[in-house]
Amino acid sequence: MTGILPVKKYGLHSALNMFSEYSMTDQGIFEEYTGFTEAEVKALCAQFEMDFAKTQSWYDGYELTGPKHIYNPKSVVEAMRRRKFSSYWTSTETYEALKIYMDMDFDGLRADIVRVLGGGRIRVNIRSFQNDMRNFRTKDDVLTLLIHLGYLGYDSEAEEAFIPNKEIMGEFENAMSVGSWPEVMRVLRASEKLLEDTISGREEEVAEGLDRAHEEAASILAYNDENSLSCAIGLAYYSARKDYRLIRELPTGRGFADIVFLPLPSVAKPALVVELKFDKTAAAAIQQIKDRHYTQALDGYSGELLLVGINYDKENKDKPHSCVIEKLLKGD
């Protein structure tokens, strides 16, 4: 009845209280009709001879309880029709609308935006939202609206929000490029070189790049611990998500790898297993990858694999980050 937003509640009670509400945070029996299902997208890719893995990275990411993967239908149709992967989000919305909400000065909102940009997830209380686009009292109200508008995906079981796909990442980047986010934009622009340095094994350059990324991110995050480091790493490797699938805390042989970058099937680049340490050594991070057999989780992957150990030493003001990179070949 009302489009993307639920029925507005006026005063203490809703003026319309005899309806069942279905929304982006609780789709109920309409889940499979919220967008294209994975089976539908696979059929379209086969029909139009388009790469399914690329389609998935561009337009998937909206997690529901039944059909786990839901795709943006408008963008999928445009990609198939034009035979080109791109952002078609502006056909229905503009990044300037996103910028308005991102720039709202609620406590902790900017830090949460940085966390999702770094590939992380943020906990959101969706129950305080008043179902309108004007009255906001907390950062949770803003984040809930972004979920309803499709700018954020939502895991209803974990009650966490995240950026769902490459198309939406581009919208956030566009909004920041014309807003008051210079420190984050500096990190994103430097991320391409950081990835090149990592693949080339230039450890000193990688450490210096992480110094800058962590310093910029910390100015917004306002904390300096392992979570801050993890967020900074995700931001620093932002451009990698063009060609990689980023997986945080991937279950491995014995334990969890902090971040794994798995290349898309059509990409001829090595996979990366990244382990972070705080006030220890980068060599210890590499040893943990080996001792706990983290590479076992990549059983379906064959090719070059980079083990990247990163340590942050908060007492070392000149060179807080250190990095060790090892290369190996992995068979099926």
Side-chain angles (χ1 to χ4, degrees):
M1 276 185 64
T2 63
I4 198 66
L5 291 179
V7 176
K8 168 65 178 161
K9 295 177 175 63
Y10 294 95
L12 297 178
H13 304 284
S14 174
L16 298 171
N17 59 9
M18 70 293 292
F19 291 101
S20 296
E21 290 185 288
Y22 301 93
S23 70
M24 291 300 290
T25 56
D26 185 9
Q27 300 86 1
I29 60 175
F30 296 104
E31 280 190 332
E32 63 181 300
Y33 309 111
T34 305
F36 285 166
T37 64
E38 188 160 87
E40 291 169 333
V41 173
K42 284 183 177 179
L44 286 170
C45 287
Q47 178 182 346
F48 289 90
E49 299 181 341
M50 296 288 280
D51 187 279
F52 171 70
K54 287 186 177 179
T55 306
Q56 189 177 43
S57 68
W58 269 97
Y59 310 118
D60 184 19
Y62 297 100
E63 294 185 5
L64 307 183
T65 55
K68 199 66 176 174
H69 300 274
I70 288 292
Y71 293 68
N72 180 342
K74 169 65 175 175
S75 297
V76 170
V77 168
E78 290 294 336
M80 298 297 123
R81 186 171 67 85
R82 302 187 188 201
R83 309 187 69 81
K84 178 184 178 182
F85 295 109
S86 184
S87 175
Y88 301 105
W89 190 263
T90 51
S91 299
T92 57
E93 189 59 271
T94 170
Y95 69 83
E96 291 181 356
L98 174 60
K99 176 183 177 297
I100 293 172
Y101 303 119
M102 287 175 58
D103 287 343
M104 288 186 174
D105 192 22
F106 289 111
D107 182 47
L109 177 60
R110 290 174 67 85
D112 280 350
I113 295 295
V114 169
R115 285 179 62 189
V116 294
L117 281 168
R121 294 186 171 212
I122 50 175
R123 194 167 180 83
V124 181
N125 174 17
I126 63 172
R127 288 170 288 279
S128 67
F129 184 55
Q130 294 300 306
N131 299 350
D132 69 46
M133 303 176 71
R134 294 180 179 274
N135 300 307
F136 303 100
R137 294 181 296 179
T138 67
K139 68 172 183 177
D140 286 321
D141 291 343
V142 178
L143 294 171
T144 303
L145 176 62
L146 295 181
I147 293 170
H148 285 300
L149 295 177
Y151 286 110
L152 293 175
Y154 181 67
D155 183 338
S156 59
E157 295 182 2
E159 298 183 342
E160 292 176 336
F162 52 91
I163 296 178
N165 53 47
K166 187 184 295 187
E167 181 179 46
I168 302 301
M169 284 170 57
E171 293 303 305
F172 273 90
E173 188 174 347
N174 288 337
M176 288 187 302
S177 67
V178 295
S180 55
W181 299 75
E183 56 281 281
V184 177
M185 288 306 300
R186 283 193 289 268
V187 176
L188 301 191
R189 293 187 183 108
S191 63
E192 191 76 43
K193 183 179 186 304
L194 182 68
L195 179 61
E196 292 175 3
D197 288 338
T198 304
I199 293 175
S200 300
R202 295 191 283 265
E203 297 170 342
E204 285 294 326
E205 286 85 346
V206 171
E208 291 173 3
L210 293 176
D211 287 344
R212 292 188 292 270
H214 196 180
E215 183 178 350
E216 298 280 10
S219 66
I220 291 179
L221 295 172
Y223 55 87
N224 194 23
D225 56 15
E226 197 162 358
N227 289 326
S228 172
L229 174 60
S230 179
C231 178
I233 298 299
L235 273 182
Y237 284 103
Y238 178 85
S239 67
R241 279 175 279 174
K242 298 175 183 176
D243 298 322
Y244 287 83
R245 184 161 63 99
L246 185 152
I247 309 171
R248 286 183 174 274
E249 295 193 338
L250 177 72
T252 53
R254 292 197 301 272
F256 293 82
D258 284 318
I259 308 175
V260 172
F261 293 91
L262 193 62
L264 298 176
S266 58
V267 174
K269 291 183 179 180
L272 282 69
V273 178
V274 181
E275 179 66 24
L276 311 177
K277 288 295 180 186
F278 203 77
D279 286 340
K280 294 184 181 177
T281 66
I286 292 288
Q287 194 59 47
Q288 181 169 315
I289 295 174
K290 295 176 179 178
D291 291 345
R292 298 191 179 182
H293 306 290
Y294 284 176
T295 58
Q296 287 182 2
L298 303 177
D299 284 340
Y301 174 77
S302 177
E304 190 176 39
L305 177 64
L306 300 183
L307 311 183
V308 183
I310 296 169
N311 180 65
Y312 176 71
D313 182 359
K314 62 183 178 183
E315 300 300 327
N316 189 339
K317 304 301 182 182
D318 295 326
K319 289 186 176 182
H321 293 84
S322 57
C323 176
V324 173
I325 301 172
E326 291 190 10
K327 297 183 180 182
L328 57 89
L329 288 175
K330 190 176 186 303
D332 290 326

